[in-house]
Amino acid sequence: MKVPFLNLATALSAEKALVERAISRVLQRGQLVLGPEVLAFERAFADYHQARHCVSVGNGLDALSMMLEAVGVRAGDEVIVPSNTFIATWFAVTSVGARVVPVEPDPEAFNLDAGRVEAAFTNRTKAVLAVHLYGQCAEMRTLQQICKSHRVHLLADAAQAAGARHHGHSCARFGSASAFSFYPTKNLGALGDGGAVLTDSDEIASRLRLLRNYGCPEKDQHEIKGRNSRLDEIQAAILTERLAQYPQQQVRRRHVAQRYLDGLAGLPDIRLPVGRVDEHAWHLFTVRVDNGRRDALRSLLSARGIGTGVYYPIPPHKQPAYRDEATAFPPLPIAEALAEDVLSLPLNGYLTDEEVDDVIEAVRSSVNTWGN
Ligand SMILES: *Cc1c(COP(=O)(O)O)cnc(C)c1O
């Protein structure tokens, strides 16, 4: 591959010193779980997003499901979710015994269509769980008004959106809480699993702190039926080091995204991402390829040595995991169309301008071969 979709080894070799520094700090101290590295990272991650509290946990799915539990979502409740998302958003709702109520996205912005949300409320609706897909904030300002009038929590799946902004504010300033993932391929990745919830609410934060650690406010006392889902000290130390460089990485990602937007403008059958380049966290640069040409373009690019990704080829409601509920879902044609059309180009903090130009050139010449 001339330009692989993502090669973590490239990032790791560039960050070898940083990773070693972080690990040796923890080894010297000998405290491996819920120690000073976790506290330091939580403070830094909360400050970066202008949130009052950060509670780190074991992974993104746990961050989502414990966030739902912490705001009181229970068995029998309904949670409004986007129809096009990574299945973890849905699994989080299902895992606390609640029902997913899928709402279609805006086909251009890829995020929950606020105009369709109102119609999905019932007297069982307990929360709206918006997703900042590909790193771009959902219409949180509008959703916040809708949720306020229905007196339900607005929550965010921000797994792809570390550093994203919305109308000039940090993404975490909107809604009751936001869940993040530090899975290695995310913008801010650990060397394994990790996750966190940001919130301004003292109550949600203290509930999350109990939930993640056996419901334990102090040793041998179990206040609530908790879980074991904690970020470990080594991952926290690595994340603190990486977070210090993250703003620079964001600048680089935005530069790459702008180069793609300029270089790919005006091509037939290619719809470029919309929205503010400087607020998008650019986890993925995702285009829509019209007229059923996505897979053809993907093969042409692969033949030219360009790796691509599809996020996601099968929407959650079409997954076997939801076969028993399938008849309860409304028709979701936009999610199904997106699954056929979306294609993500290489995007990371280590791509060189030459590599970006190689990708642009490969897309342009591939599109030319189908001539219209
Ligand atoms: C990655 C991701 C998750 C889950 O995160 P994990 O850490 O892998 O559990 C949830 N939602 C979205 C949108 C994601 O991209």
Side-chain angles (χ1 to χ4, degrees), residues 287-310:
V287 304
R288 285 192 74 174
V289 188
D290 290 331
N291 294 316
R293 284 173 154 153
R294 192 266 312 275
D295 292 338
L297 177 58
R298 204 173 185 207
S299 317
L300 288 166
L301 289 174
S302 172
R304 289 175 159 87
I306 308 297
T308 55
V310 172

Side-chain angles (χ1 to χ4, degrees), residues 58-64 85-89 131-134 157-160 179-186 192-195 283 312:
N59 58 67
L61 175 58
D62 283 354
L64 287 164
T85 181
F86 179 51
I87 201 162
T89 317
V131 180
H132 304 329
L133 200 66
Y134 308 141
D157 177 342
Q160 303 185 354
F180 293 80
S181 163
F182 308 120
Y183 183 75
T185 61
K186 307 292 186 193
D193 282 306
H283 174 55
Y312 297 86

